[in-house]
Amino acid sequence: MQLTITGYSTALFSTWYFIEEWGILFDAGEGLISALLQKSRKIDHVFISHADRDHITGLLQFNQLNARPGYPIMYYPKDAGSFPALEAFSKKFDPQVARTVWTPVTEGDEIPIAKDLLVKPLRNGHVPVEEHIIKSLGYMVVQTRKKLRPEFAHLSGEQLRQLAEQQGRDSFSMEVRENLFGYSGDTPVEDGAKWDNTRILIHEATFLDNGEPVKTRDYGNKHSCLEEVMEMVSSIHIGQLILGHFSSRYSPEEIDRAIKGLCEKYAINIPVRRVLPGETVHDLLSQPPINR
Ligand SMILES: [Zn+2]
């Protein structure tokens, strides 16, 4: 399936990604409405990774323009107190958004967004808190399909139809899942296994330099260095990679040079694209990969 992904992502300033075919927004930094215009009306589900202001300040205007009964639905990490505060303020400030839905989510949840699609929140260590506290999440979009169990493969269409009538379709079918799309949110590089076998991964890469002093990082929250991301990606199976959330201290040339160098170093041959600081990229997957 070809996805139309539009996004903006610059560390400290703003981050958001819109997937048009699914009506999903990941994060809601400022500028999303002025970039998407009428297309923002297609957004039904908003998955927020964490409460840093550069990921949520677009929500007020987004809701104000698009609120309708039961939509949009905002999903946020369950222990991040900023969201109930923002919900209360938003509904007081703009009474017409009173029926937007704000839903706390946590790792282990499965959120259906279409007949054959669900979203799984994945905890990450961006905000240093105890293991059971959920303040920062990545997300995985999973496709679920019903497939005939191999032991029923010999049956004819008519036999299967009868069986479905007698015992229901679940008696001979099984669910097959595929990771279509992963969004890292803000995160240090962690166990790559959670992104393994994903068709498209958007991962943050705030720093180009592994030796970046920790004290310069915002609020003590943890981010990824490009090389750690590329090393992780080289050790798992990803169909396409999109890098974003670069610090604005780097020039486009520095970023592209670093990506190309690391693709060579780690023998990464999948298409790699990037969202440069300060740039809104429309239809990301139609852009030429940086490593081809
Ligand atoms: Zn951020």
Side-chain angles (χ1 to χ4, degrees):
M1 160 178 216
Q2 187 64 28
L3 294 177
T4 311
I5 304 173
T6 295
Y8 180 99
S9 184
T10 305
L12 283 181
F13 294 99
S14 174
T15 288
W16 55 269
Y17 293 96
F18 169 51
I19 303 180
E20 196 171 324
E21 287 77 5
W22 296 338
I24 299 187
L25 183 71
F26 289 97
D27 282 330
E30 69 167 65
L32 82 96
I33 285 291
S34 51
L36 292 177
L37 303 174
Q38 292 296 337
K39 277 197 173 177
S40 69
R41 293 195 178 277
K42 294 186 176 179
I43 298 168
D44 292 331
H45 302 270
V46 182
F47 291 89
I48 306 283
S49 63
H50 66 297
D52 282 352
R53 300 325 188 213
D54 50 318
H55 293 249
I56 61 175
T57 43
L59 276 177
L60 279 184
Q61 174 67 338
F62 166 70
N63 278 339
Q64 195 273 122
L65 285 176
N66 295 322
R68 56 213 187 277
Y71 286 98
I73 307 177
M74 265 72 60
Y75 306 89
Y76 60 88
K78 75 173 177 66
D79 297 313
S82 293
F83 293 97
L86 191 57
E87 176 184 4
F89 173 76
S90 150
K91 289 179 175 178
K92 192 171 176 194
F93 194 56
D94 292 311
Q96 76 274 24
V97 312
R99 286 196 277 176
T100 52
V101 181
W102 296 66
T103 305
V105 295
T106 187
E107 175 134 340
D109 289 351
E110 295 193 338
I111 302 143
I113 55 157
K115 188 169 151 279
D116 59 348
L117 284 180
L118 56 86
V119 176
K120 291 165 61 169
L122 302 170
R123 187 188 188 282
N124 67 46
H126 175 57
V127 183
V129 286
E130 285 176 55
E131 198 65 29
H132 66 281
I133 297 174
I134 303 293
K135 290 206 173 204
S136 183
L137 294 168
Y139 292 99
M140 178 72 84
V141 181
V142 181
Q143 184 177 53
T144 60
R145 278 176 300 130
K146 294 280 188 195
K147 198 181 150 195
L148 188 64
R149 287 178 196 277
E151 60 268 35
F152 293 92
H154 63 283
L155 295 185
S156 70
E158 177 55 25
Q159 286 170 313
L160 287 173
R161 198 187 59 75
Q162 283 177 10
L163 202 55
E165 260 176 28
Q166 291 157 8
Q167 300 176 30
R169 302 193 71 82
D170 287 346
S171 62
F172 55 82
S173 64
M174 59 184 189
E175 189 182 77
V176 186
R177 292 186 164 205
E178 187 181 0
N179 295 336
L180 295 187
F181 176 91
Y183 173 58
S184 74
D186 282 11
T187 182
V189 171
E190 297 170 325
D191 181 10
K194 69 177 167 186
W195 305 122
D196 200 9
N197 296 311
T198 299
R199 279 214 219 163
I200 300 167
L201 174 64
I202 295 185
H203 205 288
E204 76 122 297
T206 305
F207 300 109
L208 298 188
D209 180 1
N210 282 331
E212 202 73 36
V214 172
K215 64 175 164 33
T216 65
R217 300 181 184 185
D218 56 292
Y219 318 117
N221 287 347
K222 295 182 187 152
H223 288 285
S224 298
C225 296
L226 179 65
E227 178 153 8
E228 297 166 341
V229 178
M230 300 308 263
E231 191 179 4
M232 184 261 290
V233 166
S234 72
S235 71
I236 57 178
H237 294 94
I238 299 289
Q240 307 194 48
L241 177 66
I242 296 166
L243 297 160
H245 206 269
F246 291 102
S247 165
S248 61
R249 78 190 67 178
Y250 307 116
S251 70
E253 294 74 26
E254 284 177 290
I255 291 170
D256 286 354
R257 205 181 317 124
I259 295 172
K260 284 178 196 166
L262 290 166
C263 283
E264 267 180 37
K265 179 172 175 183
Y266 291 99
I268 293 173
N269 296 315
I270 59 169
V272 178
R273 298 177 176 85
R274 81 298 189 234
V275 179
L276 292 170
E279 282 187 2
T280 302
V281 185
H282 293 268
D283 196 1
L284 256 160
L285 296 181
S286 72
Q287 305 290 319
I290 199 72
N291 59 333
R292 293 282 167 91

